[in-house]
Amino acid sequence: MGSRRDNALMARERTIYSCIECGGTSPKWLGRCPGCGAWNTLEETIPEPVPAGRNRIQPLARTQPVATLAEIEAAEIAHRPTGLQELDRVLGGGIVDGAVVLIGGDPGIGKSTLLLQAAESLSRSITVLYVTGEESAAQVALRARRLGLAGRQVRVLAEIQLERIIATLEAEQPRFCVIDSIQTLYSDQLTSAPGSVAQVRECAAHLTRSAKASGTAIVLVGHVTKEGALAGPRVLEHMVDTVLYFEGDTHSSFRLVRAVKNRFGAVNEIGVFAMTEHGLKGVTNPSAIFLSTHGEPVPGSCVLVTLEGTRPLLVEVQALVDGGGPSPRRLSVGLERDRLAMLLAVLHRHANIASFDQDVFVNAVGGVHISEPAADLAVLLAIQSSLRGKALPRGFFAFGEVGLAGEVRPAPRGQERLKEAAKLGFAVAIVPRANAPKRPIEGLRIHAVERIEQAIDLVRDL
Ligand code: TYD
Ligand code: MG
């Protein structure tokens, strides 16, 4: 018996390798995480000792009563508006008691600014606590002054130790609490460094339990790695109720907040903000901005709605068709070249548009890579637009897969794509027949097609 326990103790002290992305572990170092497939994410860690008996199910635990779904009282979830309309939109109406929201984004994008503004506005109706681990209380106060916030009721705690934060939460009983950021927290119970997967996961788990027990709504701020995942643990995404991403180009003042998971509302909602010198201002009509960046419509350009993971994304596809030599070139950036050759053959055979004596260049603007076939229709429309030297109409977009027989096949989640484009102010579309909405979408004129020649005929008259 004794020697077996010694062995177990020794085994515990061996180091393991855990993935900073997904939290998966491996006994030896590997270039690629066996859990999530990410490269170079395994780091040497010391496994946390498991408290004696924690992993054992106690055979004498008392059984608990079980109810049917029908017997359980299901109350409607009450959303409390934060006062920032664009934030409320992505939250599904506002914050929910006991719910935990994770908000991720690049450093400097404006997470702290947004949450300080929300905290100020909520503090007029409920008790609010702002826990800052990255900045001192004085820095937060300075920011509040710059933003012109009175801050009379926003209580601030500069603390990074989890146990003290939990104790303060219990004593203060705020209804809304911001943790800025989850990566700075550490728990005394663990030996690993702050920011490590084990720490982040454990701290988030404790805070989640505390939120559920006390009914406090908690917002966790999280950093994003260069690959775009929430640093540390994707496990956090499973733990919390809502995951928001705060994105935008730091060179422009516009910021997007997206819900990628929401137990209390719809996902793929976006909120649009402009960063001004007095903080973030909601942009209620984002279409104007996104369209003006396109300028005047030009020949050879077509906008498509693609699905990046779970998020619909509007991407401009450009084509240039120009007189080529004896062996014309087909070049594509961000799109598959084989697919381009195939699409040109379809265009020739089924729509009678020949380009075999022309150089064809295709580019997905902004350095994105589109691998889904739903881009086909937009690529073909951009090519024909360049060939004819005639621009597609303002606010036009298209999506749909094109088959070798010239048929236009539906794209998955067509309704979400249409809604996203409508939200961003696009007005005319050619889409596959099966993706045509049953009820009209406000502000959107949709032409449904079944074949590529129909689409080509249609754009001639638009
Ligand atoms: P911040 O909220 O600190 O970003 P995060 O918490 O996501 O790291 O935002 C910092 C940036 O926002 C910084 O570059 C300055 C800019 N900013 C403004 O332009 N106007 C303002 O009123 C404030 C407070 C910040
Ligand atoms: Mg910050």
Side-chain angles (χ1 to χ4, degrees), residues 342-343 345-346 349-350 402-407 409 451:
M342 191 196 95
L343 290 175
V346 172
R349 170 60 76 89
H350 297 286
V402 176
L404 284 177
E407 81 279 19
R409 292 204 215 115
R451 301 200 47 82

Side-chain angles (χ1 to χ4, degrees), residues 244-328:
L244 305 182
Y245 276 93
F246 204 160
E247 20 180 272
D249 189 352
T250 36
H251 302 295
S252 102
S253 63
F254 295 106
R255 304 279 184 271
L256 292 183
V257 182
R258 287 177 191 269
V260 292
K261 165 182 172 179
N262 196 351
R263 286 187 184 143
F264 305 115
V267 289
N268 295 327
E269 275 298 345
I270 60 169
V272 185
F273 290 94
M275 178 64 96
T276 69
E277 54 192 83
H278 301 295
L280 290 156
K281 297 263 184 311
V283 178
T284 38
N285 178 20
S287 51
I289 314 155
F290 287 95
L291 282 182
S292 67
T293 59
H294 284 275
E296 282 300 306
V298 287
S301 157
C302 183
V303 172
L304 83 105
V305 194
T306 177
L307 272 176
E308 272 270 293
T310 57
R311 312 177 211 173
L313 187 73
L314 281 107
V315 177
E316 185 185 342
V317 176
Q318 293 181 336
L320 179 66
V321 185
D322 202 15
S327 54

Side-chain angles (χ1 to χ4, degrees), residues 357-439:
D357 53 349
Q358 309 269 326
D359 285 340
V360 180
F361 306 101
V362 179
N363 175 31
V365 175
V368 286
H369 189 93
I370 303 166
S371 52
E372 65 160 1
D376 293 351
L377 189 56
V379 171
L380 285 182
L381 293 179
I383 290 171
Q384 70 80 36
S385 161
S386 173
L387 253 172
R388 292 195 303 135
K390 189 162 178 280
L392 291 160
R394 176 177 280 279
F396 177 87
F397 70 96
F399 61 82
E401 179 178 348
V402 176
L404 284 177
E407 81 279 19
V408 178
R409 292 204 215 115
R413 317 232 310 260
Q415 302 306 297
E416 279 170 43
R417 297 179 201 242
L418 289 171
K419 283 192 188 132
E420 178 84 356
K423 204 175 292 161
L424 296 183
F426 285 77
V428 201
I430 296 187
V431 302
R433 167 101 37 222
N435 285 136
K438 291 188 189 71
R439 263 174 278 137

Side-chain angles (χ1 to χ4, degrees), residues 48-58 189-190 202 205-206 209:
E48 297 297 338
V50 179
R54 181 163 152 186
N55 272 357
R56 246 174 274 147
I57 292 176
Q58 290 176 342
Q189 314 287 310
L190 305 183
E202 197 62 19
H206 270 100
R209 263 194 301 261

Side-chain angles (χ1 to χ4, degrees), residues 106 128 130 143 163 275 315 317 329 351 393 404 408 461:
D106 291 325
V128 166
Y130 191 100
R143 183 198 303 262
E163 285 72 18
M275 178 64 96
V315 177
V317 176
R329 279 173 294 176
L404 284 177
V408 178
D461 304 329

Side-chain angles (χ1 to χ4, degrees), residues 34-50:
C36 66
W39 289 94
N40 288 328
T41 54
L42 290 190
E43 276 184 1
E44 189 173 356
T45 47
I46 300 156
E48 297 297 338
V50 179

Side-chain angles (χ1 to χ4, degrees), residues 7-292:
N7 282 346
L9 273 175
M10 272 173 65
R12 273 182 216 146
E13 277 161 22
R14 267 214 320 256
T15 59
I16 55 163
Y17 294 85
S18 57
C19 171
I20 55 169
E21 291 274 328
C22 73
T25 56
S26 159
K28 59 179 198 282
W29 191 85
L30 295 168
R32 188 173 194 192
C33 169
C36 66
W39 289 94
N40 288 328
T41 54
L42 290 190
E43 276 184 1
E44 189 173 356
T45 47
I46 300 156
E48 297 297 338
V50 179
R54 181 163 152 186
N55 272 357
R56 246 174 274 147
I57 292 176
Q58 290 176 342
L60 293 178
R62 269 192 287 149
T63 57
Q64 296 290 309
V66 180
T68 65
L69 279 176
E71 287 162 3
I72 300 167
E73 202 180 324
E76 272 296 312
I77 298 152
H79 288 93
R80 186 191 303 276
T82 61
L84 303 175
Q85 216 184 347
E86 290 296 303
L87 181 62
D88 289 340
R89 189 198 302 278
V90 284
L91 286 172
I95 56 158
V96 174
D97 282 350
V100 181
V101 178
L102 177 66
I103 178 160
D106 291 325
I109 200 82
K111 302 181 292 296
S112 305
T113 307
L114 179 71
L115 292 172
L116 196 58
Q117 286 179 244
E120 164 75 18
S121 148
L122 279 167
S123 73
R124 285 177 215 139
S125 55
I126 51 173
T127 47
V128 166
L129 179 67
Y130 191 100
V131 180
T132 169
E134 300 207 329
E135 296 165 301
S136 67
Q139 282 170 310
V140 176
L142 192 67
R143 183 198 303 262
R145 302 278 189 290
R146 272 188 53 192
L147 292 170
L149 306 177
R152 271 181 216 102
Q153 273 137 326
V154 181
R155 285 174 297 169
V156 177
L157 169 71
E159 182 58 68
I160 56 171
Q161 202 213 333
L162 178 74
E163 285 72 18
R164 285 190 216 137
I165 292 171
I166 300 265
T168 313
L169 278 173
E170 273 162 19
E172 297 267 323
Q173 296 276 330
R175 306 307 299 153
F176 178 69
C177 172
V178 177
I179 306 285
D180 190 0
S181 68
I182 185 71
Q183 273 105 347
T184 53
L185 301 198
Y186 76 97
S187 162
D188 261 354
Q189 314 287 310
L190 305 183
T191 45
S192 42
S196 68
V197 174
Q199 286 281 9
V200 170
R201 185 165 43 191
E202 197 62 19
C203 291
H206 270 100
L207 287 165
T208 305
R209 263 194 301 261
S210 155
K212 302 290 164 207
S214 64
T216 305
I218 296 187
V219 179
L220 307 174
V221 175
H223 296 297
V224 162
T225 61
K226 45 185 187 316
E227 285 80 27
L230 273 177
R234 264 184 230 158
V235 266
L236 280 193
E237 299 194 356
H238 303 290
M239 216 181 278
V240 301
D241 299 300
T242 303
V243 180
L244 305 182
Y245 276 93
F246 204 160
E247 20 180 272
D249 189 352
T250 36
H251 302 295
S252 102
S253 63
F254 295 106
R255 304 279 184 271
L256 292 183
V257 182
R258 287 177 191 269
V260 292
K261 165 182 172 179
N262 196 351
R263 286 187 184 143
F264 305 115
V267 289
N268 295 327
E269 275 298 345
I270 60 169
V272 185
F273 290 94
M275 178 64 96
T276 69
E277 54 192 83
H278 301 295
L280 290 156
K281 297 263 184 311
V283 178
T284 38
N285 178 20
S287 51
I289 314 155
F290 287 95
L291 282 182
S292 67

